[in-house]
Amino acid sequence: MVGMRWGTVDLHGEVYDYDVVVHTDGTVTKRKKKRSKHLKGEYGHTPLSRGELDLLITESPEVVYVGTGYEGALPITPDAREMLDAYSAVVAPTPEIVPLAEAEKRRFVAIIHVTC
């Protein structure tokens, strides 16, 4: 992982202009916000919800990073926070998360929001 600026994140030399998930095997996929989209009206923005965190059960990371956007404004639902509490989780603005994940030696999942 290299860095970010508002609206993009640079991971392993690849620039993404959408939210991504870095999996325990190092692969990067687009964040599946559809599982949380129905909550947009309640939160004013598509939040991170428990439905998006099911991958944690199958991937069994030692640590979970959640980049909450350039300014840290991504809402996280209470049920998602509860699930994250079961892991060693670091939730912070994306510019803080990227270098932490870059230096991480344990198996991790990173959910990275690139705007707000």
Side-chain angles (χ1 to χ4, degrees):
M1 292 190 201
V2 176
M4 92 162 287
R5 65 177 196 274
W6 195 93
T8 67
V9 65
D10 183 337
L11 306 171
H12 310 294
E14 186 78 31
V15 178
Y16 299 90
D17 61 358
Y18 49 84
D19 293 3
V20 297
V21 175
V22 181
H23 299 271
T24 55
D25 65 1
T27 59
V28 178
T29 60
K30 188 171 184 176
R31 176 180 161 216
K32 295 181 178 166
K33 295 192 293 187
K34 187 174 185 176
R35 296 177 180 180
S36 301
K37 202 72 147 173
H38 67 284
L39 298 167
K40 183 177 182 177
E42 183 178 341
Y43 287 87
H45 188 84
T46 303
L48 177 65
S49 72
R50 182 180 171 91
E52 292 183 62
L53 299 178
D54 288 343
L55 67 106
L56 301 179
I57 297 167
T58 57
E59 295 198 27
S60 301
E62 294 175 67
V63 63
V64 178
Y65 290 100
V66 178
T68 56
Y70 193 76
E71 297 178 12
L74 175 71
I76 301 175
T77 64
D79 60 342
R81 286 199 182 272
E82 184 179 315
M83 186 169 187
L84 289 169
D85 285 345
Y87 295 86
S88 176
V90 181
V91 179
T94 300
E96 295 174 30
I97 290 298
V98 171
L100 294 174
E102 180 181 37
E104 185 59 63
K105 301 297 182 210
R106 298 170 290 178
R107 286 173 47 90
F108 73 91
V109 165
I111 300 166
I112 301 174
H113 181 60
V114 297
T115 60
C116 74

